[in-house]
Every structure is written in C-alpha cells, then in structure tokens.
C-alpha cells in the first residue's frame, strides 16, 4: 500500500505546474502521513536526525548550520569550501569538541522561526531527515525566545537560543565622491540608495522621513550587488548590516566608500546580539558549544577571526553587562 502512495505522489509532483509549489508541499506531507499510517515502520522516513551530545560525539562530526551566500559570515569559495567568519567559528567549535567540521547550508526562508524549524527542530519537508546540530547567526533576544502565540503557547519552544558572540547593527556606507561632508538619511532625498530585497533596510528606506526617500530606493539581490551598483554610479549609498558594509568597503579600496554616522529614527532595535540555537532537548550540546565560544570571546581569539576578515569586532551587550565596558 505505502509503495503505491509514494509512486502516485511522484507522478503528482512531476505533473504540477510552477504555481503548484505550495500544493506540492502539502501533497508531500499528506502522502508521508498516509505511508506512516499504513506501515508504522515507514515513520522512519520522516524522522530527522536529531542528535544529542553523546550521539554527536560518537559520530565523529558536527553539522554546523550556516546561511549560504552570506559574506563575510558564511559562503562557499570557488572550490566549494566553507569560508567566512561563521565558518571559522564552526571550525573552532568542531576543533574544541575534537570533531570533524561539516557545514550544513541554510537557505533563508520567510522568517527566522521558519529557518529554525526547517533546519534545527524538525527538518524541511524536502529533506525531513536532515537538520543541523547547531545553527549560527541567530539573533539572541529573550523577548523573541519567549514569544507566545494567541493561545499562550511559546512559539519557539522547540529550540533554545543561547551563546551570544557578536553585536550587530544597521549602518549606511556612502560614496564620498558624490556626497561631500558625510551622509545622513536626508542626503538621499536627492541621491539614490540601495538595499537588499525583502530586508528591513528595504522596507525602512521606503517609509523613512514620511516616504521622502521612496523614489530613490533601489533594491538588489544582496549587499554585494548593491555595492557593485554603487561602483557604477547607480546609487550613492547602501544600507545593510554593519558587518556586511565593512566587508564590502574592504573589497573596493580604489573607491572612497565611507561608513556614515547615521541614525535611524523609527527602528526600535538598531543593534542586537547574535548567538546560536539548538533543539530544546539538546541543551547539553548547547552547553558544550557555548563554553568553547565563550572562551573565544573572552580570550580575544574571536576578535582575531573578525580582523582577518577586515571587520571590527563588537562584543555582545550580554558581555558588557557581565564584564563591564571594554577599556
């Protein structure tokens, strides 16, 4: 019975038009459920490889969740090797545990909650048996961690967010050859500014200052494309995360690109801590990883990783509360 269901599902997926992607996801879920009911042993088909600390240690490797195509934090080089700050942090975690480092590449979804579900707590419907042991570059925010739905249930109860290791913030880089005397948001009433599609900067810039910048906002696939556009004179500035801005400024030393001292009225959180996430019942694994990253923050080795990638390191506010302000 269950083999016939899977065969019928395969025919359905091949015949669906492009607009049927959502229907495909539903069909996959329904078919797998029917398989499990008709054959209980088939439940293994949908069970993700959720590994606790003992299982990770016994396997000899750890799957580190990294966002793909996200320089300077995580990306593949021309040989397919994992590069970037988070890749190096992942290697340090693996080395600290005496394990092999294996990158688990994550394609960003429509929300952080979906990314956590698809890659940490349950697995994506197209790869239900594949999940990361730990995911990096997760905003460390206690309000988000304990967010409840309309029934009072915790929305993120299946994951634990822990181990802040960097402070991130929004910023603007401008072309000093086109904007004399620095740049503010108001500078882009008469100059074009670029931002990545479907990000907070893209939304914010179209609404900021009562919509006065809307006609001058240009959207790009990523921050790298926005900088390439600035080199060609299409835009005079780019808004993105400060880490991305510092990285791409270093990629264009022949241009006079500068980081603006801009403020962003209307954005409630202009800076935030970045941490990690594991499944909620794998806290021991989280503790072991957190100890390694915590040591790297305190002894300065994490700062060294950032400097190699031409970025200034900003310790999380979490550490400022514990250790006091940096001297």
């Amino acid at each position: 019975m269950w083999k016939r269901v899977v065969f019928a599902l395969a025919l359905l997926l091949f015949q669906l038009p492009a607009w049927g992607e959502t229907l495909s996801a539903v069909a996959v879920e329904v078919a797998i459920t029917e398989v499990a009911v008709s054959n209980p042993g088939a439940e293994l088909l949908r069970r993700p490889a959720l590994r606790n600390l003992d299982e990770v240690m016994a396997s000899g490797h750890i799957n580190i969740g990294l966002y793909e195509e996200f320089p300077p934090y995580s990306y593949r080089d021309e040989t397919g090797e994992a590069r970037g700050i988070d890749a190096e942090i992942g290697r340090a975690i693996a080395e600290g545990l005496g394990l092999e480092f294996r990158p688990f590449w994550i394609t960003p979804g429509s929300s952080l909650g979906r990314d956590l579900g698809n890659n940490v707590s349950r697995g994506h419907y197209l790869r239900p048996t594949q999940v990361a042991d730990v995911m990096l570059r997760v905003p460390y925010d206690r309000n988000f961690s304990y967010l409840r739905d309309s029934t009072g249930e915790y929305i993120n109860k299946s994951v634990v967010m822990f181990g802040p290791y960097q402070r991130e913030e929004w910023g603007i880089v401008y072309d000093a050859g086109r904007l004399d005397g620095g740049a503010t948001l108001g500078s882009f009433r008469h100059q074009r500014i670029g931002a990545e599609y479907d990000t907070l900067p893209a939304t914010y810039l179209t609404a900021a200052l009562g919509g006065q910048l809307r006609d001058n906002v240009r959207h790009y696939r990523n921050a790298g494309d926005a900088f390439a556009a600035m080199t060609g004179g299409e835009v005079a500035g780019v808004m993105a995360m400060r880490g991305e801005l510092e990285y791409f400024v270093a990629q264009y030393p022949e241009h006079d690109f500068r980081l603006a001292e801009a403020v962003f009225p209307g954005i409630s959180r202009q800076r935030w801590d970045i941490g990690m996430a594991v499944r909620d019942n794998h806290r021991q694994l989280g503790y072991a990883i957190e100890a390694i990253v915590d040591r790297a923050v305190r002894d300065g080795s994490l700062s060294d990783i950032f400097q190699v990638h031409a970025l200034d390191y900003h310790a999380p506010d979490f550490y400022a509360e514990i250790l006091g302000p940096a001297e």
Side-chain angles (χ1 to χ4, degrees):
M1 169 62 183
W2 70 270
K3 291 182 180 179
R4 289 198 298 272
V5 173
V6 173
F7 179 70
L9 171 63
L11 290 178
L12 173 63
L13 293 182
F14 278 114
Q15 293 173 0
L16 278 174
W19 50 262
E21 181 179 354
T22 302
L23 180 58
S24 300
V26 174
V28 170
E29 187 65 25
V30 170
I32 292 179
T33 300
E34 291 187 18
V35 168
V37 170
S38 61
N39 182 1
E43 176 65 17
L44 293 173
L45 290 174
R46 61 183 297 170
R47 186 173 300 163
L50 301 171
R51 311 189 307 162
N52 59 32
L53 176 59
D54 291 339
E55 291 167 329
V56 169
M57 297 302 294
S59 73
H61 70 272
I62 183 168
N63 299 311
I64 305 288
L66 305 171
Y67 280 110
E68 63 181 2
E69 297 183 28
F70 190 25
Y73 298 118
S74 49
Y75 58 96
R76 297 180 181 92
D77 65 15
E78 59 277 2
T79 68
E81 190 76 13
R83 299 296 181 193
I85 290 170
D86 287 347
E88 294 306 316
I89 294 173
R91 289 188 174 91
I93 291 171
E95 182 180 353
L97 294 173
L99 301 172
E100 174 192 351
F101 162 71
R102 291 188 183 178
F104 183 92
W105 294 108
I106 296 172
T107 301
S110 59
S111 67
L112 173 61
R114 180 160 294 181
D115 290 348
L116 291 168
N118 289 342
N119 299 284
V120 178
S121 64
R122 64 175 181 269
H124 193 276
Y125 69 88
L126 291 178
R127 54 177 191 187
T129 62
Q130 300 176 39
V131 292
D133 297 313
V134 59
M135 177 176 166
L136 272 60
R137 199 135 299 270
V138 175
Y140 180 81
D141 184 287
R142 296 190 68 82
N143 292 329
F144 180 76
S145 298
Y146 295 106
L147 193 66
R148 296 173 184 264
D149 63 18
S150 58
T151 67
E153 288 290 320
Y154 288 114
I155 294 176
N156 299 301
K157 63 182 179 180
S158 296
V159 297
V160 175
M161 286 167 269
F162 68 100
Y165 59 88
Q166 179 203 353
R167 192 190 75 206
E168 186 59 275
E169 60 187 83
W170 299 115
I172 288 177
V173 159
Y174 66 97
D175 185 348
R178 299 180 62 186
L179 290 172
D180 295 331
T184 65
L185 275 178
S187 304
F188 298 100
R189 291 188 180 97
H190 308 291
Q191 293 281 358
R192 291 186 295 273
I193 184 170
E196 181 180 345
Y197 281 112
D198 297 327
T199 60
L200 185 145
T203 302
Y204 174 75
L205 290 171
T206 58
L209 303 182
Q212 295 180 55
L213 315 182
R214 183 182 298 116
D215 292 340
N216 287 329
V217 179
R218 299 294 181 269
H219 297 164
Y220 298 93
R221 184 175 63 93
N222 53 41
D225 285 356
F227 265 83
M230 189 158 59
T231 65
E234 294 179 25
V235 295
V238 175
M239 181 176 175
M241 286 183 287
R242 185 178 181 119
E244 292 180 290
L245 296 175
E246 291 179 350
Y247 172 79
F248 284 110
V249 166
Q251 304 304 304
Y252 296 99
E254 69 278 11
H255 291 270
D256 192 6
F257 294 159
R258 303 181 187 180
L259 192 66
E261 297 295 332
V263 294
F264 304 102
I267 297 182
S268 58
R269 294 291 297 274
Q270 297 189 28
R271 68 182 191 183
W272 62 97
D273 287 354
I274 295 294
M276 302 170 282
V278 296
R279 189 171 170 80
D280 68 320
N281 56 349
H282 293 168
R283 294 173 185 266
Q284 284 186 312
L285 176 62
Y287 297 150
I289 292 171
E290 186 173 34
I292 295 168
V293 175
D294 175 75
R295 186 164 56 249
V297 173
R298 294 172 185 265
D299 68 15
S301 55
L302 190 57
S303 176
D304 294 341
I305 292 175
F306 277 75
Q307 290 180 11
V308 167
H309 291 81
L311 267 69
D312 292 331
Y313 177 65
H314 300 278
D317 289 340
F318 172 85
Y319 281 89
E321 295 171 3
I322 297 174
L323 303 176
E327 295 182 357

